[in-house]
Amino acid sequence: QVQLVESGGGLVQAGGSLRLSCAASGRTRRSLNMGWYRQAPGKEREWVAAINWNGGGPDYADFVKGRFTISGDNAKNTIDLQMNSLKPEDTAIYYCAADPAWLNWRSQRVSPDYWGQGTQVTVSS
């Protein structure tokens, strides 16, 4: 089994920055394609950003392009999400997700195999 652990959430004022990290452990025999989702109160979960190490590179949801940057180390199965110019509407629980297969992360039908427990990000106005 694979475990994902997120860190780095917190409270920040609008316009500020936060950096989230996620590390995979357990039976990580191969590189994992990894990404971030978020879920705000009363809203459905939405995809934020992801990296397919085996083709495609980093990709972002339109609402975070230019503000968020995803990076990571495929050998260590870790990813970070640098979030700049944060807005109150970015407030949500952010979840790390991973899958050994290449994923079309943009598709709403995609469901990665592994999920973290989530980390709260709160942006005050």
Side-chain angles (χ1 to χ4, degrees):
Q1 189 60 283
V2 173
Q3 295 82 39
L4 302 178
V5 178
E6 304 102 332
S7 61
L11 172 65
V12 65
Q13 289 188 332
S17 299
L18 282 174
R19 188 177 185 88
L20 305 182
S21 296
C22 176
S25 62
R27 294 194 171 196
T28 55
R29 296 179 181 176
R30 51 191 289 195
S31 293
L32 296 170
N33 296 308
M34 302 179 72
W36 293 94
Y37 288 78
R38 70 185 188 186
Q39 187 166 20
K43 295 187 176 181
E44 293 187 351
R45 184 184 66 197
E46 60 184 357
W47 168 71
V48 176
I51 296 180
N52 277 320
W53 295 114
N54 49 352
D59 195 12
Y60 302 91
D62 290 343
F63 54 80
V64 301
K65 279 185 178 178
R67 300 189 299 125
F68 292 9
T69 302
I70 189 170
S71 60
D73 186 329
N74 63 322
K76 296 180 179 179
N77 284 320
T78 61
I79 55 169
D80 295 320
L81 185 68
Q82 178 65 41
M83 305 185 294
N84 298 328
S85 302
L86 283 162
K87 306 175 182 179
E89 50 264 44
D90 293 319
T91 295
I93 299 175
Y94 283 70
Y95 296 92
C96 178
D99 199 290
W102 183 94
L103 294 180
N104 179 9
W105 293 86
R106 289 177 169 270
S107 171
Q108 293 183 349
R109 292 175 293 180
V110 162
S111 182
D113 284 350
Y114 308 112
W115 293 84
Q117 80 288 352
T119 185
Q120 178 70 48
V121 171
T122 304
V123 184
S124 63
S125 57

